[in-house]
Amino acid sequence: MPEGHLCPPVPNRLNYVLWLNSLLEQSSDGGYFEQQPAALLTPSASPAHRRIGIDIGCGASCIYPLLLTTNRFNPDVSFGGVNNSWTFFATDIDERSLKLATINVEDNGLGDRIELSLVPKSRR
């Protein structure tokens, strides 16, 4: 991490996203998937189970989007045959942080799952 930017403790961030992901899995209606024919459970048939995250203030590390868009949370076919893959929209007000986050995302090959955007600073 460049000087002047926070270096997030990855184990703490990983524990948080594991908890978040488990909450989402528990809140899914498992009964629906158990009762439906397998042909109806293709990823294209159920786009509602694609998970879209928003990270406001992603910082230079872009750690939450990076963790949740890795293959660990994006199996080809998961719960009941439905694609539960994550994509992210991440923002920051600091141009330098966003440039570094972009490099981090590209270096990890996740540019197709994470969109980054510079947001203008509030005048308040």
Side-chain angles (χ1 to χ4, degrees), residues 1 6-17 61 63-64 67:
M1 291 302 299
L6 297 175
C7 181
V10 175
N12 290 346
R13 300 308 193 268
L14 180 59
N15 284 338
Y16 176 74
V17 298
S61 68
I63 191 69
Y64 290 119
L67 287 171

Side-chain angles (χ1 to χ4, degrees), residues 19-43:
W19 173 74
L20 175 65
N21 203 59
S22 72
L23 284 177
L24 288 172
E25 287 175 2
Q26 290 172 16
S27 67
S28 296
D29 184 5
Y32 172 80
F33 296 114
E34 292 167 4
Q35 297 168 11
Q36 299 304 310
L40 296 176
L41 297 175
T42 62

Side-chain angles (χ1 to χ4, degrees), residues 21 24 28 33 41-54 68-71 73-79 81-88 110-114:
N21 203 59
L24 288 172
S28 296
F33 296 114
L41 297 175
T42 62
S44 60
S46 189
H49 289 87
R50 295 191 59 79
R51 295 176 175 162
I52 302 170
I54 300 174
L68 281 165
T69 56
T70 62
N71 287 335
F73 295 101
N74 291 281
D76 291 332
V77 177
S78 58
F79 181 70
V82 175
N83 185 339
N84 284 324
S85 64
W86 280 91
T87 57
F88 257 88
L110 294 168
D112 61 329
R113 295 181 183 171
I114 302 171

